[in-house]
């Protein structure tokens, strides 16, 4: 039986990943952890423990106590929050990752952690961004993500830890809202459309970024972790995306369902600068070839589903 420990389990990816993993592998197979406890499905449907990923000792003792064989390390500060407090971001994002990798090495577990489109920078090719390319990000989040990719590859090569990862684009979900990211505007726009038929975007019209619907993101994690190791030429981390879009594209897709939806702009220079340093659309060929990545939702099917469910 699989025994998976998920950190950041109450976060945007975590809450849906835990529920899906419990559906696939059984409720008791998934230990959800986070720095706080909430009255929610993740906490009630299976084992849950408080864990601050900076506490290496507790991290290791939980892995021992629950006989963990897979770690999915999600706890991190997102791009805009990291830019507001870069020192804290380094401490949590890198300190937490090193602790998680050490627990994986000590307990011989499989390991997943997400990287991001934030691992690219202004001199990365903007369109069809290759899997292997220039990575000189200009944000603390990006510095964390590139360092994390390298560190995971290092643990694989040096210690034989089975580390795997993807570079997630902006993730869109009707379950848990993101917090402190640059791509959050897309999620907020659906809620604005549903609640007020209006949204004011902090990202400028014409700014393209990669996006993906959460069910595709969750499926990608499970598929990558199940993939035959011998097929993986890359490990940390695979480009994955389903949609390349700018604010007007979302507005148009929303207007098919809410025709009088109004989009206006009040640009936030900090998040706009982050967005402009990231690719417009990334190339996911390596993920397709090495483990069969194939997202199901495009902008229109995602919009229909989002507007129906929120
Ligand atoms: N969605 C993330 C962010 O905006 C990108 O990884 O920070």
């Amino acid at each position: 039986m699989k025994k998976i420990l998920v950190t950041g389990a109450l976060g945007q990816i975590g809450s849906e990943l835990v529920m899906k993993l419990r559906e696939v592998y059984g409720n008791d197979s998934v230990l959800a952890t986070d720095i706080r406890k909430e009255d929610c499905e993740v906490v009630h449907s299976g084992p849950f423990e408080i864990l601050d990923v900076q506490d290496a000792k507790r991290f290791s003792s939980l892995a021992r106590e629950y006989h963990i064989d897979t770690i999915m390390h999600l706890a991190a500060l997102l791009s805009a929050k990291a830019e507001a407090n870069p020192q804290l971001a380094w401490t949590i994002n890198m300190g937490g990752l090193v602790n998680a990798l050490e627990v994986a090495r000590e307990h011989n577990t499989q390991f997943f952690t997400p990287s991001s489109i934030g691992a690219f920078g202004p001199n990365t090719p903007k369109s069809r961004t290759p899997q292997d390319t220039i990575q000189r990000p200009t944000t603390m989040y990006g510095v964390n993500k590139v360092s994390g990719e390298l560190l995971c590859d290092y643990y694989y090569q040096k210690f034989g830890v089975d580390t795997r990862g993807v570079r997630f684009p902006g993730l869109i979900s009707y379950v848990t809202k993101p917090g402190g990211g640059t791509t959050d505007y897309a999620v907020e726009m659906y809620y604005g459309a549903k609640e007020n038929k209006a949204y004011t975007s902090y990202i400028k019209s014409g700014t393209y970024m990669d996006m993906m619907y959460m069910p595709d993101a969750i499926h990608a994690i499970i598929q990558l972790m199940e993939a035959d190791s011998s097929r993986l030429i890359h490990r940390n981390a695979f480009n994955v995306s389903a949609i390349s879009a700018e604010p007007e594209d979302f507005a148009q897709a929303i207007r098919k369902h809410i025709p009088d939806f109004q989009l206006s702009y009040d640009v936030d220079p900090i998040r706009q600068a982050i967005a402009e340093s990231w690719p417009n659309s990334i190339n996911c060929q390596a993920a397709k070839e090495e483990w069969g990545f194939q997202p199901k939702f495009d902008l229109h099917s995602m919009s229909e589903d989002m507007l129906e469910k929120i």
Side-chain angles (χ1 to χ4, degrees):
M1 188 164 98
K2 255 194 185 312
K3 282 284 189 180
I4 306 168
L5 184 156
V6 180
T7 71
L10 299 180
Q12 196 209 7
I13 303 176
S15 52
E16 285 178 70
L17 179 63
V18 165
M19 296 315 294
K20 187 70 191 177
L21 290 170
R22 285 186 176 154
E23 186 188 315
V24 174
Y25 302 111
N27 286 357
D28 290 338
S29 291
V30 185
L31 171 63
T33 73
D34 209 308
I35 45 170
R36 62 185 195 282
K37 201 168 181 170
E38 275 171 17
D39 191 13
C40 64
E41 231 186 344
V42 166
V43 170
H44 298 305
S45 61
F48 181 90
E49 296 276 0
I50 299 276
L51 172 64
D52 178 344
V53 293
Q54 297 176 88
D55 184 348
K57 246 177 108 181
R58 178 158 169 79
F59 205 153
S60 178
S61 63
L62 284 176
R64 182 171 307 108
E65 188 186 329
Y66 285 86
H67 306 287
I68 294 302
D69 61 27
T70 305
I71 292 174
M72 297 194 176
H73 177 57
L74 306 176
L77 296 194
L78 287 185
S79 58
K81 227 182 219 167
E83 231 25 53
N85 198 340
Q87 291 79 7
L88 180 71
W90 180 269
T91 307
I92 292 177
N93 293 357
M94 297 315 299
L97 178 60
V98 171
N99 288 343
L101 282 166
E102 273 300 294
V103 175
R105 182 175 72 85
E106 188 191 342
H107 298 274
N108 196 22
T109 78
Q110 214 194 3
F111 190 86
F112 173 86
T113 199
S115 183
S116 158
I117 50 170
F120 297 118
N123 59 357
T124 302
K126 283 238 173 283
S127 297
R128 298 201 41 78
T129 304
Q131 172 66 37
D132 301 308
T133 187
I134 302 164
Q135 289 184 270
R136 305 290 293 178
T138 47
T139 62
M140 178 48 91
Y141 183 66
V143 170
N144 295 165
K145 289 302 184 188
V146 176
S147 311
E149 289 186 12
L150 293 171
L151 197 60
C152 288
D153 273 348
Y154 181 81
Y155 267 72
Y156 171 63
Q157 282 150 10
K158 177 90 177 176
F159 303 119
V161 179
D162 183 2
T163 60
R164 305 179 185 198
V166 294
R167 294 181 185 130
F168 273 138
L171 297 180
I172 294 171
S173 162
Y174 59 88
V175 179
T176 311
K177 289 186 191 173
T182 301
T183 55
D184 300 5
Y185 87 87
V187 182
E188 291 170 8
M189 201 188 301
Y190 288 104
Y191 280 89
K194 201 72 194 263
E195 286 157 15
N196 309 311
K197 295 188 177 181
Y199 178 67
T200 303
S201 171
Y202 58 79
I203 293 293
K204 229 186 247 173
S205 159
T207 313
Y208 284 88
M209 283 185 275
D210 284 282
M211 305 277 175
M212 180 152 68
Y213 202 28
M214 191 62 84
D216 281 331
I218 301 296
H219 183 67
I221 296 174
I222 294 174
Q223 210 183 354
L224 171 59
M225 295 306 274
E226 294 268 358
D228 180 350
S229 179
S230 66
R231 281 182 67 196
L232 302 181
I233 299 161
H234 297 88
R235 284 193 161 258
N236 302 287
F238 286 92
N239 286 1
V240 292
S241 176
I243 296 155
S244 159
E246 56 111 348
E248 294 294 334
D249 293 329
F250 284 101
Q252 272 175 28
I254 288 169
R255 283 191 196 110
K256 290 202 166 148
H257 307 273
I258 305 173
D260 48 351
F261 170 66
Q262 303 271 347
L263 176 60
S264 55
Y265 294 91
D266 180 12
V267 173
D268 168 12
I270 294 177
R271 283 179 287 185
Q272 181 63 29
I274 296 176
E276 282 173 18
S277 78
W278 291 353
N280 295 343
S281 68
I282 60 175
N283 179 328
C284 308
Q285 202 53 35
K288 288 180 181 166
E289 284 170 10
E290 293 174 39
W291 49 276
F293 170 66
Q294 190 57 60
K296 289 196 179 77
F297 288 88
D298 63 11
L299 178 59
H300 294 286
S301 49
M302 174 179 77
S303 300
E304 191 178 342
D305 204 57
M306 273 295 280
L307 293 171
E308 193 187 302
K309 290 185 172 143
I310 56 179

